[in-house]
Amino acid sequence: MNPISNLEEQFFLESADSPQKRKELLQEAISMMQNYVKLEHSVAVLSDLADNKSYIFSGDFGRFFNMNSGYTTIDSIWEYDIYKRIHPDDLFKRHLLELEFFNFLKTLPPEERLDYGTRCSIRAVDSKNEYQYILHRSFYLKNSSTGGLWLAVCLYNYSFEKTVEQQGIEGRIVNTKTGEWFYADSYVSCFNLLTTREKEILLLISHGFISKEIAEKLNISINTVNRHRQNILEKLNVANSFEAVRTAQGLHLI
């Protein structure tokens, strides 16, 4: 089970610039990332949330993933070939971190959102098919002219920090301007992600109740239950109820 689903619907609503305007700014961003991976020797993924495309740039660290140098384009905002190499537990926790980060940014004025990023240490399979810790960072490179989040960046590189006593992925949200940071394991920005009724229904789902039984217990129609179930999947960005329960438990929502 892949815990990374998608945020396409939310992301699509974030950008409202014309295609021509986006094309010009995207070209600048591509040139910037090409130079960046040469300097930092990392792997970078530039995701265009408006067009549902990603540009994957490989510096020297690309050898960790058996990547060739240069960059490739994929028709997705998710780098699934890299996700396959990440430990499933760490991939799930990274998904929770990204959900918290996205909801945290939505509490900030648009002009402040680009000042923040995430940082975590995750286990990934190297070219020898062995797990080792690598550094993962993410941030948003550009807003649209209306202030919506548009270009997202994920960075992968070697981790030079001690990981012997590491607890989880040690995910944190960092203000790159001031250096201030905080661990993102309490998921306070996701606390109100689900309504009281949605939490109630999801809790019943976690206890094995089906929609018909939930409708009877709560004295509501089965159509209302199914509508709530769909809203839950969309808000948690997951594909099914099993993933929804796991994600909600990870976020301490139920």
Side-chain angles (χ1 to χ4, degrees):
M1 189 271 293
N2 185 351
I4 296 293
S5 183
N6 61 60
L7 290 156
E8 277 96 341
E9 288 190 15
Q10 291 184 61
F11 285 159
F12 180 78
L13 297 174
E14 289 295 310
S15 181
D17 286 332
S18 68
Q20 182 58 35
K21 177 70 171 177
R22 293 203 308 267
K23 183 178 179 180
E24 294 171 2
L25 294 175
L26 177 61
Q27 229 20 78
E28 291 179 10
I30 288 174
S31 297
M32 183 187 305
M33 298 313 300
Q34 284 178 306
N35 291 326
Y36 183 84
V37 296
K38 290 178 183 177
L39 289 171
E40 204 187 53
H41 311 291
S42 60
V43 166
V45 181
L46 175 69
S47 296
D48 183 337
L49 309 184
D51 286 342
N52 194 36
K53 288 183 181 293
S54 290
Y55 305 85
I56 302 178
F57 306 84
S58 177
D60 289 341
F61 181 70
R63 289 177 292 185
F64 183 96
F65 294 131
N66 288 325
M67 288 181 174
N68 296 321
S69 59
Y71 86 90
T72 56
T73 305
I74 60 174
D75 292 323
S76 172
I77 58 172
W78 310 110
E79 57 271 26
Y80 286 114
D81 284 345
I82 294 178
Y83 292 168
K84 293 175 185 176
R85 306 180 73 102
I86 299 174
H87 192 287
D89 291 344
D90 292 0
L91 186 61
F92 175 71
K93 291 171 184 173
R94 205 214 86 165
H95 173 52
L96 299 184
L97 174 61
E98 292 300 324
L99 267 176
E100 172 69 2
F101 183 49
F102 181 80
N103 283 284
F104 167 73
L105 292 182
K106 299 302 287 184
T107 69
L108 302 177
E111 63 273 12
E112 294 182 17
R113 293 172 185 167
L114 304 188
D115 296 340
Y116 287 86
T118 71
R119 182 185 181 93
C120 64
S121 185
I122 54 180
R123 290 167 290 178
V125 174
D126 61 18
S127 58
K128 297 179 181 178
N129 209 33
E130 298 175 349
Y131 276 117
Q132 75 175 69
Y133 279 100
I134 64 172
L135 176 65
H136 177 271
R137 289 176 287 163
S138 69
F139 56 90
Y140 290 89
L141 185 64
K142 287 186 183 294
N143 287 322
S144 68
S145 61
T146 57
L149 296 167
W150 172 35
L151 293 181
V153 175
C154 283
L155 301 173
Y156 299 87
N157 211 333
Y158 294 107
S159 176
F160 301 105
E161 299 177 355
K162 288 184 65 176
T163 54
V164 177
E165 300 177 359
Q166 179 169 319
Q167 298 295 317
I169 64 171
E170 297 192 344
R172 64 194 77 172
I173 294 176
V174 183
N175 184 317
T176 55
K177 262 191 175 181
T178 66
E180 297 176 40
W181 61 271
F182 58 90
Y183 281 115
D185 52 5
S186 59
Y187 306 114
V188 292
S189 295
C190 289
F191 183 76
N192 294 317
L193 195 56
L194 301 180
T195 66
T196 300
R197 178 64 92 188
E198 288 165 350
K199 291 177 183 178
E200 190 176 19
I201 288 173
L202 193 54
L203 186 59
L204 290 171
I205 292 172
S206 73
H207 290 155
F209 291 96
I210 62 174
S211 292
K212 182 180 178 182
E213 294 169 328
I214 294 173
E216 292 172 354
K217 267 186 167 295
L218 301 180
N219 196 29
I220 57 179
S221 72
I222 191 169
N223 288 335
T224 299
V225 173
N226 289 335
R227 186 173 68 250
H228 282 305
R229 292 182 73 137
Q230 186 59 39
N231 289 340
I232 290 168
L233 298 185
E234 290 175 359
K235 288 181 179 180
L236 296 178
N237 309 295
V238 292
N240 54 56
S241 296
F242 178 81
E243 292 183 15
V245 169
R246 188 184 180 201
T247 299
Q249 288 172 337
L251 294 171
H252 314 306
L253 298 179
I254 59 171

